[in-house]
Amino acid sequence: MADSSTPSAAERLLDTASRLFYARGIPNVGINEIIARAGVARMTLYHHFSSKDALVKAVLEARRRERGAWLERADDLAADPRGKILAVFDLLESWAQAPDFRGCPLVAASFELGGQFNAALPYARDHLDSVRAFFEERARQAGAADPTALAAQLQLLLEGATVTALVQGTAGPANDARAAAAALVDLQLQRARVS
């Protein structure tokens, strides 16, 4: 009987491809390296994924779910909507301190794959839509004067801080973005109280 804690071949392939794609970029990683590092036979790869493109799409889907779970963690870190918004920036600060931080894997994949038939673009768009929806719902719950506008501003802060943290090689931009987000949220709440 197989140990249920041992990852299946498909899980090993996904995990290996995900790590290599994130570290070096999708175009820079070949199937042979993924097979060797995952410790599977070539036929095993093609049994689970018909091509590298199919494996890339599976990795992108897994990364999209991972980014969704990341937002859910922000919900668990605070009791009130304002705190939940700011927790996203706290998570970014923690993530940006990781030695392998390369920014959002979905956005990175969109740049790497480029072109008109970019397989990563729908996943990146879905992620950005989810982030905006997360911010808008918490802004609405907090009583912001204009939750839609606030969500758009917060999303831009988050994405800008992510890119800046990557380029600068420091988590400082996440902390700066958190301070700006707090000021924006507080301004929106103050406007709502005045009107």
Side-chain angles (χ1 to χ4, degrees):
M1 183 171 181
D3 181 0
S4 62
S5 66
T6 303
S8 69
E11 291 168 333
R12 287 196 319 274
L13 285 162
L14 271 175
D15 179 63
T16 300
S18 183
R19 284 185 289 105
L20 290 171
F21 291 162
Y22 188 65
R24 296 207 332 258
I26 294 168
N28 300 321
V29 178
I31 287 295
N32 291 337
E33 183 178 7
I34 294 168
I35 290 168
R37 292 204 183 201
V40 300
R42 180 175 294 278
M43 290 308 296
T44 302
L45 169 79
Y46 290 115
H47 172 74
H48 294 288
F49 307 100
S50 60
S51 64
K52 181 179 177 182
D53 287 344
L55 179 58
V56 167
K57 286 181 181 178
V59 167
L60 292 170
E61 178 59 34
R63 288 293 195 175
R64 187 191 60 75
R65 285 192 308 271
E66 176 186 277
R67 298 287 81 218
W70 190 73
L71 288 174
E72 288 174 14
R73 277 198 321 236
D75 260 347
D76 295 338
L77 292 175
D80 66 309
R82 180 184 181 277
K84 292 175 186 213
I85 289 169
L86 299 180
V88 173
F89 295 91
D90 294 335
L91 287 172
L92 174 60
E93 183 176 14
S94 175
W95 181 30
Q97 293 172 13
D100 66 342
F101 177 73
R102 279 193 69 230
C104 176
L106 298 169
V107 173
S110 295
F111 285 116
E112 293 163 6
L113 297 177
Q116 182 179 2
F117 301 106
N118 186 331
L121 208 49
Y123 295 96
R125 285 181 181 147
D126 183 59
H127 167 63
L128 293 179
D129 290 345
S130 297
V131 169
R132 187 176 289 211
F134 176 92
F135 282 142
E136 186 169 351
E137 179 59 28
R138 272 92 200 141
R140 192 175 320 294
Q141 292 169 353
D146 188 346
T148 302
L150 179 58
Q153 294 165 346
L154 293 169
Q155 180 187 28
L156 288 172
L157 271 175
L158 180 66
E159 296 308 320
T162 302
V163 171
T164 306
L166 171 63
V167 172
Q168 291 182 351
T170 176
N175 191 41
D176 295 340
R178 186 191 194 282
L184 284 170
V185 170
D186 292 344
L187 181 62
Q188 282 274 336
L189 296 179
Q190 181 181 3
R191 285 183 184 164
R193 285 192 294 269
V194 171
S195 60

